[in-house]
Amino acid sequence: MTRFWVCIAGAGFFLALLVLHSRFCASRLPPHLHFAFKISWRAEEILYRLDVDWPKYSEYFTGATFCVAVDSLNGLVYVGQRGDNIPKVLVFTEDGYFLRSWNYTVDTPHGIFAASTPQEKSVWITDVGSGFYGHTIKKYNSFGDLVQVLGTPGKKGTGLNPLQFDNPAELHVDDTGDIYIVDGDGGLNNRLIKLSQDFMILWLRGENGTGPAKFNIPHSVTVDSTGRVWVADRGNKRLQVFDKDTGDWLGEWKNCFSEEGPSAVRFTPDGKYVVVAQLNLSRLLILAAPPVGNIGDCSVVSTIQLADQVSPHLLEVSRETGAVYVAEIGAKQVQKYIPMNRFFRLLLFHLSHPCPISFVSVIKC
């Protein structure tokens, strides 16, 4: 009963806003007001708000924060940072409490990915350093103990047997244990590699170039729920898409990136949106995810404009809460953005854009 009256009060409040809209914006309300109100906006929808309380104490960020990963299964957030005489990996809770840090065998972290199961907490790091552990991809447990090393430690290269990397940018580990690696943050390689869970090469795509399945700084990789691999081809200002099983090229998105290419790419847990970072523009783009079987064209749903020179490098989306964590190398911090409740998104939208022209909303209790 309480929930019923809260819904009635909310609907009444929203109706009052519509009346004010009609009074001051010289537009008329639609003739039928049965839970559906025709409203429209020229502006983009506001989907996220900044969580100003994350983390609880920001002084733990002591270097340039290059990457962030979320272990949604265990509620952990890993941050990779660079600098001299500082811990390279910080571990927080998703609520923002600092737990621990470690530095063992980490030279210069670039990308980080949490791939935990009910039996094992693990985190993978791409290392682009020039030291003994550079040009490798390493697996750790939650406390920083080294479990596995991929690549030839300390030696960059193009070889496949043994496998070599040169500035590996990022990786994605799917639920089957297969690994997708983008190798080539400005190094010798411009390629996408798929490894099996026992680290055998299943397929490889890419070389330096601008055509389909060619790359210029492949910087971030993720896999959507329909079996498509998405690569942020940063230097070519596009997202490229591949079939996860065969490696076949499926298409590309370029029209959203005329100003700057994407530096990071992730999907929201519901699969509705693609979240992209643009480093030099200090901007996040929220894009409409394509349907199954059709890549189509890129469409911007919302943007988050950060302060100048914040420089969002890589990001992660919590599979549990949908929160977006952004590693900002300019600001030397990680920030958390929370999905906004739908009703308050509409309310904020209406208040900030008093003369809307084209959106249809439905209030549901």
Side-chain angles (χ1 to χ4, degrees):
M1 181 61 71
T2 300
R3 185 173 183 271
F4 171 79
W5 287 112
V6 169
C7 286
I8 292 296
F13 182 60
F14 198 79
L15 179 59
L17 288 177
L18 292 177
V19 173
L20 290 173
H21 170 272
S22 176
R23 172 68 178 82
F24 294 107
C25 290
S27 63
R28 292 178 299 174
L29 291 174
H32 302 96
L33 292 175
H34 24 32
F35 295 116
F37 304 100
K38 182 143 187 136
I39 315 173
S40 41
W41 289 289
R42 283 195 179 105
E44 299 166 354
E45 190 173 357
I46 300 172
L47 298 177
Y48 293 90
R49 67 174 179 86
L50 177 65
D51 183 352
V52 296
D53 293 323
W54 200 98
K56 301 300 181 184
Y57 303 100
S58 60
E59 61 265 24
Y60 292 105
F61 299 134
T62 53
T65 48
F66 268 72
C67 49
V68 59
V70 180
D71 176 359
S72 300
L73 191 63
N74 297 290
L76 301 176
V77 179
Y78 298 89
V79 176
Q81 61 176 6
R82 298 184 192 177
D84 296 328
N85 302 314
I86 63 168
K88 300 296 177 64
V89 179
L90 310 175
V91 187
F92 297 87
T93 68
E94 284 206 68
D95 294 330
Y97 292 99
F98 177 76
L99 295 179
R100 56 187 170 271
S101 63
W102 38 273
N103 200 31
Y104 178 60
T105 72
V106 182
D107 188 348
T108 307
H110 186 278
I112 191 168
F113 188 86
S116 291
T117 67
Q119 294 76 34
E120 178 187 44
K121 296 179 184 177
S122 63
V123 58
W124 291 82
I125 294 175
T126 64
D127 198 323
V128 298
S130 57
F132 183 74
Y133 288 97
H135 303 293
T136 57
I137 298 175
K138 293 167 288 193
K139 178 182 179 181
Y140 297 86
N141 66 21
S142 179
F143 292 91
D145 298 321
L146 184 61
V147 177
Q148 180 72 44
V149 178
L150 303 181
T152 308
K155 295 182 180 180
K156 62 184 178 181
T158 62
L160 300 178
N161 187 20
L163 185 60
Q164 291 180 302
F165 302 110
D166 184 10
N167 291 348
E170 199 186 44
L171 77 158
H172 174 94
V173 183
D174 69 15
D175 293 337
T176 67
D178 291 341
I179 304 170
Y180 303 83
I181 300 166
V182 280
D183 178 25
D185 182 33
L188 297 170
N189 305 319
N190 282 277
R191 59 192 186 184
L192 167 66
I193 304 172
K194 180 180 180 179
L195 302 180
S196 65
Q197 56 185 316
D198 55 356
F199 314 124
M200 301 296 293
I201 296 176
L202 298 178
W203 50 258
L204 182 152
R205 298 291 180 271
E207 59 182 86
N208 187 40
T210 59
K214 296 183 179 181
F215 302 106
N216 180 12
I217 308 180
H219 198 262
S220 180
V221 61
T222 194
V223 179
D224 68 20
S225 60
T226 65
R228 297 175 293 198
V229 183
W230 293 71
V231 176
D233 188 5
R234 180 175 159 189
N236 285 325
K237 297 184 178 181
R238 62 183 176 180
L239 290 171
Q240 293 202 68
V241 190
F242 301 82
D243 182 276
K244 67 173 288 188
D245 295 321
T246 64
D248 291 342
W249 187 81
L250 300 178
E252 65 180 11
W253 278 359
K254 295 188 69 172
N255 56 298
C256 291
F257 308 111
S258 59
E259 296 178 89
E260 184 188 357
S263 63
V265 58
R266 289 292 187 270
F267 278 77
T268 56
D270 58 11
K272 291 177 60 177
Y273 303 112
V274 186
V275 185
V276 171
Q278 292 178 298
L279 179 73
N280 296 315
L281 292 175
S282 291
R283 183 170 69 184
L284 306 181
L285 297 180
I286 317 299
L287 313 175
V292 178
N294 179 29
I295 300 301
D297 293 323
C298 180
S299 176
V300 177
V301 177
S302 183
T303 62
I304 301 175
Q305 184 60 57
L306 309 177
D308 289 345
Q309 299 182 349
V310 162
S311 304
H313 184 246
L314 291 171
L315 60 84
E316 188 58 277
V317 179
S318 171
R319 296 172 69 176
E320 183 67 27
T321 66
V324 178
Y325 296 82
V326 185
E328 302 169 349
I329 57 177
K332 296 184 178 180
Q333 64 182 3
V334 170
Q335 293 203 97
K336 177 182 180 181
Y337 291 86
I338 303 172
M340 291 186 65
N341 176 279
R342 185 173 182 273
F343 175 80
F344 289 104
R345 293 202 322 255
L346 298 177
L347 175 60
L348 181 59
F349 229 46
H350 188 79
L351 292 175
S352 60
H353 303 89
C355 295
I357 67 171
S358 91
F359 179 85
V360 177
S361 66
V362 178
I363 295 180
K364 297 180 179 179
C365 289

